[in-house]
Amino acid sequence: QLVESGGGSVQPGGSLRLSCAVSGYSYNNYCGGWFRQAPRKEREAVAAIDSVGGSNYADSVKGRFTISQDNVKGMVYLQMNSLQPEDTGAYFCAAKFAGDSGTWDNPDRYHNWGSGTQVTVS
């Protein structure tokens, strides 16, 4: 089960920190990802972190967003800085098993999803 929190409304240039509580996995046995979906657009990958802390980012968020995890607490975080209106959307936390061979940005490889949290930048 994945439960997101931390969404909200901010002005351009502001920051938000999203949190995802992950349960149902053995310690260090999953990879966490963040995806987002803007109105009338397809869901897109934002960032992902693997079981040993390696991370990947979409080009549009590199240098502004940072993904991190706390395996002891079962948490995945997304720190978002310098937010822009184009960052607006519903943000979803997702998980897949560690060692999955698919690319980090392929949503079909993630088998567990949260219900999403809204981020609005205006």
Side-chain angles (χ1 to χ4, degrees):
Q1 182 180 7
L2 306 179
V3 180
E4 305 98 335
S5 60
S9 296
V10 294
Q11 294 181 343
S15 298
L16 284 173
R17 188 194 195 203
L18 304 184
S19 300
C20 175
V22 181
S23 60
Y25 295 89
S26 300
Y27 176 85
N28 211 29
N29 192 34
Y30 65 92
C31 300
W34 287 96
F35 291 75
R36 68 186 180 188
Q37 187 166 18
R40 299 175 297 280
K41 291 188 177 181
E42 293 187 357
R43 188 171 297 190
E44 63 173 347
V46 176
I49 189 165
D50 62 29
S51 58
V52 294
S55 58
N56 289 280
Y57 297 92
D59 288 343
S60 59
V61 306
K62 283 181 180 176
R64 300 189 297 123
F65 291 12
T66 303
I67 190 170
S68 61
Q69 63 185 2
D70 185 329
N71 285 324
V72 174
K73 295 182 178 179
M75 298 293 294
V76 178
Y77 305 100
L78 186 67
Q79 178 66 43
M80 305 185 295
N81 299 326
S82 301
L83 283 161
Q84 300 301 318
E86 53 265 34
D87 296 316
T88 294
Y91 282 68
F92 300 88
C93 180
K96 61 177 181 174
F97 290 111
D100 179 88
S101 60
T103 57
W104 72 272
D105 57 352
N106 183 355
D108 294 336
R109 305 302 300 183
Y110 293 80
H111 61 276
N112 205 354
W113 291 81
S115 59
T117 184
Q118 179 67 32
V119 172
T120 302
V121 186
S122 64

